[in-house]
Amino acid sequence: MTAPDINSQVEQARYQRGLEVLNAVDGGSAPAVMESLADISPALAHHVVAFGFGDIYSRPGLAPKQRQLVTLGILTALGGCEPQLEVHIKTSLNVGLTPTEIVETFVHAAGYAGFPRALNAITVAKKVFAERDLLPVKEA
């Protein structure tokens, strides 16, 4: 079995659809992430955009805010995903989640993923919120 040709018409259509979705919601970090892969794995960069955003994120079943809540919860539970969590906190703000909703997501995740992972997520959120002058956050 051979890998899909990322330059084929079908793959390029998936990539373009994903790029449109990504550009609509991105927190500003995704282009840098994709560019950082260009010299080592352009295929991985392609699949992140084509599959992650062109196939998955573009599905109609959830609104962007709902997708981001799920993503924040999963990245928190996985742990060790702080760079991706930073991108998705920015994306969450871009799609309309409030800092309070984001913080509450991490507080809620503590019960399922544990305090260390929730604390790591809150630390990343604090960095993003400070960059955007969104501190202090009023809790619910």
Side-chain angles (χ1 to χ4, degrees), residues 124-135:
V124 176
K126 185 174 183 175
K127 176 183 180 245
V128 172
F129 297 164
E131 290 170 358
R132 294 197 180 190
D133 198 28
L134 297 172
L135 292 173

Side-chain angles (χ1 to χ4, degrees), residues 51-66:
F51 178 71
F53 291 89
D55 294 345
I56 301 298
Y57 206 99
S58 65
R59 294 174 54 85
L62 295 173
K65 283 182 179 183
Q66 294 168 315

Side-chain angles (χ1 to χ4, degrees), residues 94-115:
N94 287 351
V95 300
L97 287 175
T98 66
T100 300
E101 290 169 322
I102 293 168
V103 168
E104 190 60 29
T105 300
F106 300 140
V107 171
H108 185 76
Y112 295 89
F115 285 102

